[in-house]
Amino acid sequence: MVSTPHPAHKPGASLGTVRLVQSYPTNRWANFHMEGVLYRRMLERGCPQGSQLGPTLWKVAISPITVISTDSSKILTYADDILLMVGAARPKTAFTRIEKKLDKFIEWATEYALEFSAGKTQLLSPKGGLKPGYSIAFGTAADAPRIESSPTAKYLGVVLDPRRSYWDHVLAICKKSDDMYSRLRALYSANWGMGQSAASIIYKGVFLPRVAYAAEIWAEGSKLRKSRVKQLSAQRKPLLAITGAYKTSSTNCLAAVAGTLPLDLEIRHQAALRDLAREKISNDEMDTITDELVNELQERYTSTNKGSWTQKMIPSVRQRYHLPLVLDHYTTQFLTGHGDFKAKLHSLALIDYPICACDRKPETVNHVLRFCPRTAAARLKLKRIMREEGEAWPPANGAFLKSRRTFSALKSFAREALTNRDDR
């Protein structure tokens, strides 16, 4: 169907362009072979999937929709997603205005041999205190289908709610991310399968872009306490994969061990990065925001009793955040204190006896690191490197994160201490 563009939206195309476009949808056929028979049908509408010209033609076709806006209404279009916003002092007036605007939509759709689905149309009142339960007609016709109101509406991937708390959006993205990592769970384990480096790549390349989509819109909503708790819960599985930590490890410690921000702070960081990309903030302002987020993480990290051993090994989350380290399952046990240590396993009621095989003291992470005679040879190598790096023994809090060499020494000790055992 050929239509005349609205006067305000004439594309002003050249004759050659017009002829090119006219030839584009003509003489197109679909061929289908089945059991030796060829079926052919002429295509009279639509564009081929993946077409280069199709999106441009759609923009030209949908442009008349935008001129329907008035002082009391506004229309936004993105591809085939259309948002109609109408304001009025009273609900009845707003409903009338919406129905009249929808008449214009129907006229446009009829001209292009298209149809709107009232069942897929969402109706939301962001102001005025209207609660779901009302409906409006899709146009003013007597037999027009009804559009039912809803407590939320999803537009361009963001779940909107009247209070703009974005709680429903947080719920939606957390569910999606949980489903994703549940499918990936079979690919990793503490000491087999997908390694920590691969898990980190998936986290940065898949998980974060997915959950941080449109973060600049809903980042403020991530500050709500219930939203923060939900996001941290959703981040737990990815962090376990990145660190190779045991499931009993404290959530408070996992972000510090992984060298990343908790998800609610990461959302705000991603929002700031997009503001930086759009030149809404300067590089100095971006640095300030990052510092504030790291400071907030440090305050959270040290204000709880959970993960006291990790707080000794990693006292400064800022230092860890800016120090790229390659983790493994063995080193993570020494950073968290949760692992193959009899005292820890006994506290979880997994074994009956907490005493180390050296028959001296309970087998804690501190005992294995500093005292156990079975790890004496590995400890001598560790102490030598620490002395060369200017660190005393017993090590001060955070000593193993002083440099890559001290961390590498801890990694070597951890692997040797946890693998060279005859009682496991």
Side-chain angles (χ1 to χ4, degrees):
M1 177 179 292
V2 179
S3 64
T4 302
H6 189 280
H9 287 266
K10 288 183 178 179
S14 66
L15 181 60
T17 300
V18 172
R19 288 175 176 171
L20 174 65
V21 172
Q22 285 177 335
S23 69
Y24 181 73
T26 59
N27 197 28
R28 292 191 296 126
W29 294 81
N31 298 329
F32 179 65
H33 291 268
M34 186 173 68
E35 297 181 352
V37 179
L38 172 64
Y39 299 88
R40 302 189 74 215
R41 182 173 179 178
M42 179 176 285
L43 301 179
E44 298 178 349
R45 66 173 68 180
C47 293
Q49 187 73 23
S51 153
Q52 295 294 313
L53 185 57
T56 300
L57 294 181
W58 174 254
K59 290 178 184 178
V60 173
I62 202 173
S63 61
I65 286 277
T66 60
V67 301
I68 302 174
S69 297
T70 62
D71 292 340
S72 61
S73 67
K74 186 174 183 178
I75 295 172
L76 300 178
T77 61
Y78 185 88
D80 59 348
D81 285 307
I82 303 172
L83 174 64
L84 169 63
M85 297 179 287
V86 173
R90 292 179 295 277
K92 185 176 180 180
T93 305
F95 296 163
T96 301
R97 289 176 177 174
I98 292 173
E99 290 171 354
K100 289 182 178 179
K101 295 291 181 185
L102 292 176
D103 277 341
K104 299 293 185 181
F105 282 26
I106 294 170
E107 290 176 10
W108 170 83
T110 301
E111 183 179 3
Y112 285 89
L114 301 172
E115 286 186 30
F116 284 101
S117 171
K120 293 182 179 179
T121 303
Q122 303 172 89
L123 177 61
L124 175 69
S125 176
K127 291 184 179 180
L130 273 179
K131 295 182 179 180
Y134 60 93
S135 66
I136 64 170
F138 201 103
T140 59
D143 59 347
R146 307 292 296 182
I147 309 171
E148 299 295 331
S149 60
S150 60
T152 62
K154 188 174 183 179
Y155 184 65
L156 299 182
V158 179
V159 182
L160 308 173
D161 63 272
R163 295 193 303 168
R164 283 177 286 183
S165 68
Y166 296 101
W167 167 241
D168 294 277
H169 182 73
V170 170
L171 288 177
I173 63 168
C174 288
K175 185 179 185 305
K176 284 170 55 177
S177 63
D178 184 71
D179 291 345
M180 180 185 73
Y181 262 88
S182 293
R183 291 192 295 271
L184 291 174
R185 188 182 304 164
L187 298 179
Y188 71 84
S189 180
N191 44 29
W192 62 266
M194 182 176 68
Q196 281 72 49
S197 296
S200 181
I201 291 171
I202 292 173
Y203 177 79
K204 294 176 182 178
V206 179
F207 179 85
L208 276 185
R210 188 173 188 178
V211 300
Y213 169 76
E216 63 273 32
I217 302 298
W218 61 275
E220 285 298 309
S222 68
K223 295 181 179 179
L224 291 175
R225 178 174 175 77
K226 64 178 182 179
S227 294
R228 187 179 79 186
V229 171
K230 189 66 180 177
Q231 290 170 88
L232 294 180
S233 176
Q235 191 186 24
R236 184 171 172 80
K237 287 179 183 177
L239 292 185
L240 287 173
I242 292 171
T243 60
Y246 277 80
K247 293 181 180 180
T248 55
S249 301
S250 168
T251 301
N252 180 55
C253 300
L254 288 176
V257 174
T260 188
L261 292 171
L263 189 54
D264 63 308
L265 300 185
E266 186 65 64
I267 292 299
R268 288 155 58 185
H269 186 246
Q270 293 292 323
L273 286 173
R274 291 168 193 181
D275 285 342
L276 177 65
R278 295 183 176 93
E279 299 183 349
K280 291 184 176 180
I281 61 174
S282 65
N283 286 316
D284 289 342
E285 289 173 315
M286 184 69 224
D287 291 340
T288 299
I289 291 171
T290 303
D291 284 342
E292 290 173 350
L293 293 174
V294 174
N295 289 339
E296 188 172 340
L297 170 57
Q298 184 73 52
E299 184 177 350
R300 288 187 200 175
Y301 178 62
T302 56
S303 63
T304 177
N305 294 326
K306 293 183 178 180
S308 57
W309 175 259
T310 303
Q311 291 172 14
K312 292 179 180 179
M313 297 294 280
I314 310 175
S316 171
V317 294
R318 180 180 299 279
Q319 182 186 24
R320 173 65 185 97
Y321 185 73
H322 293 290
L323 184 63
L325 302 174
V326 179
L327 296 169
D328 61 40
H329 172 55
Y330 304 105
T331 312
T332 296
Q333 292 181 62
F334 277 86
L335 293 176
T336 63
H338 288 245
D340 190 13
F341 307 110
K342 285 187 175 180
K344 173 58 66 176
L345 298 175
H346 180 262
S347 70
L348 299 172
L350 297 176
I351 60 174
D352 297 328
Y353 196 59
I355 302 302
C356 181
C358 69
D359 290 331
R360 294 188 177 184
K361 292 183 178 181
E363 189 186 55
T364 64
V365 59
N366 187 52
H367 173 73
V368 175
L369 178 64
R370 293 179 54 196
F371 304 109
C372 184
R374 298 188 305 155
T375 56
R379 189 180 305 111
L380 282 175
K381 292 184 283 186
L382 175 61
K383 291 168 71 173
R384 176 178 57 80
I385 293 176
M386 297 299 288
R387 284 196 300 269
E388 291 174 357
E389 291 296 307
E391 292 295 325
W393 193 269
N397 291 351
F400 295 112
L401 267 66
K402 179 181 178 181
S403 67
R404 291 191 180 187
R405 189 167 184 236
T406 57
F407 181 75
S408 179
L410 176 65
K411 285 184 68 174
S412 297
F413 173 86
R415 177 175 288 275
E416 188 173 344
L418 293 174
T419 56
N420 294 341
R421 293 180 171 187
D422 54 14
D423 64 324
R424 293 291 197 272

